[in-house]
Amino acid sequence: MNAHPAEPADELEFTGERLIIEPGRAWFWERIAAEHVTRYLFAVKRIAGLRVLDAACGTGYGSSILARAAASVTGVDNDPTTIAFASRRWGSASTAFVMADVQRLPFAGGSFDAIVSFETIEHVPDPERFLSECARVLVAGGRLVISTPSRDVYNWISFPDGHGNPFHPSEMTPAEFAAALRRGFRIDEMYGQIHVPGYGGSVGEGTRGASTRTPIARLARSGIKRSTSAILSRPEIAARVVRLLRPGFEPRPWDERPWKYVIAVCTRGGS
């Protein structure tokens, strides 16, 4: 186990499955980046002062956001090159990165007060084992903030040909996601992210997706091209920018409307 690889990669190939955000990058112009960062900004207020595990941290930008409020953050990912990249870009005295499989976490029971894991569970072959590991490494009463794509809506938007995402062996409906969580956690809050008013009910039907780019965003996009490292490093500023430019990305309390993603805030212990 190596939290800080000695020779991290300077560059990392973008495959579409791991989001790369460099310090100073104007991430909020990009839809997929804004989706992901908004989730981490949502989590920040729920992990203040806690020892946090960022399970499947990817390239580490989210761990850096969490570290602004957490007592400490440990990011784990199963790819050594990605962990090297994360350590180089985002490692700090309070933020460490460890190569590990989220289904076999190399930590003692009760090592963390909170776990944040966004867009992870759909990638693992055994979601039950992953959630069991999350429960094991959390303290009693520990918090889990977790998301997943809502299977039918997500695929209707992203894969209208009906083939689905080959990187997602364990996609779930919101009901299936909630049922899986309740085996080891109490669900305290549920949210939807990105309402899809044109959803047709099955893959390949209707008008795909909905634009969330506002006229203000279009105007600002054409005039603002300066460095944004201060925005990314200060969640309170980033949150304001995202709400202005991407108002449709803010998580909303769950209801029966079609949402692209579902986010749950849970407590270790079961229902």
Side-chain angles (χ1 to χ4, degrees):
M1 183 171 71
N2 187 0
H4 295 282
E7 297 181 359
D10 288 328
E11 301 295 336
L12 192 66
E13 180 184 0
F14 178 67
T15 65
E17 284 302 300
R18 285 188 173 90
L19 181 63
I20 302 170
I21 293 181
E22 296 280 6
R25 175 173 161 191
W27 51 265
F28 46 76
W29 300 128
E30 303 161 27
R31 182 183 180 93
I32 189 66
E35 285 184 6
H36 284 254
V37 172
T38 299
R39 284 191 284 269
Y40 276 103
L41 294 172
F42 168 86
V44 162
K45 66 185 72 172
R46 291 166 171 82
I47 53 82
L50 303 180
R51 298 170 299 159
V52 178
L53 175 67
D54 186 7
C57 65
T59 59
Y61 66 90
S63 300
S64 178
I65 293 171
L66 297 174
R68 290 282 163 170
S72 63
V73 178
T74 302
V76 300
D77 195 272
N78 66 355
D79 179 68
T81 304
T82 301
I83 285 295
F85 182 93
S87 296
R88 173 65 174 262
R89 294 294 189 266
W90 305 110
S92 70
S94 63
T95 310
F97 295 96
V98 176
M99 189 179 74
D101 182 347
V102 294
Q103 297 172 106
R104 298 171 180 82
L105 292 168
F107 308 110
S111 293
F112 299 97
D113 305 308
I115 295 174
V116 174
S117 190
F118 291 138
E119 304 308 284
T120 302
I121 196 168
E122 68 274 12
H123 290 271
V124 300
D126 191 344
E128 184 173 351
R129 178 163 186 168
F130 164 56
L131 292 174
S132 177
E133 279 290 272
C134 288
R136 181 184 67 80
V137 302
L138 277 173
V139 297
R143 175 166 289 177
L144 173 66
V145 186
I146 185 170
S147 76
T148 194
S150 179
R151 183 182 65 211
D152 297 335
V153 179
Y154 168 82
N155 281 311
W156 180 77
I157 294 170
S158 303
F159 296 92
D161 59 6
H163 290 109
N165 190 325
F167 295 100
H168 291 183
S170 303
E171 289 180 351
M172 303 180 189
T173 65
E176 290 167 344
F177 183 50
L181 290 171
R182 287 193 179 103
R183 296 186 187 106
F185 296 88
R186 182 185 73 234
I187 299 175
D188 299 317
E189 306 170 73
M190 284 190 70
Y191 294 83
Q193 187 189 24
I194 306 183
H195 175 221
V196 186
Y199 174 58
S202 64
V203 174
E205 297 180 3
T207 302
R208 292 174 57 196
S211 173
T212 56
R213 184 180 297 169
T214 66
I216 292 175
R218 288 193 291 270
L219 179 63
R221 188 198 239 314
S222 65
I224 302 175
K225 296 295 182 182
R226 61 181 176 270
S227 169
T228 57
S229 57
I231 289 176
L232 183 58
S233 66
R234 295 184 61 186
E236 68 278 10
I237 296 177
R240 294 190 187 103
V241 171
V242 172
R243 289 188 187 110
L244 175 66
L245 301 181
R246 299 286 192 174
F249 286 15
E250 187 78 7
R252 306 292 182 185
W254 182 260
D255 57 30
E256 295 305 314
R257 293 180 297 170
W259 298 95
K260 186 178 180 183
Y261 303 101
V262 54
I263 303 170
V265 181
C266 309
T267 299
R268 177 179 176 256
S271 58

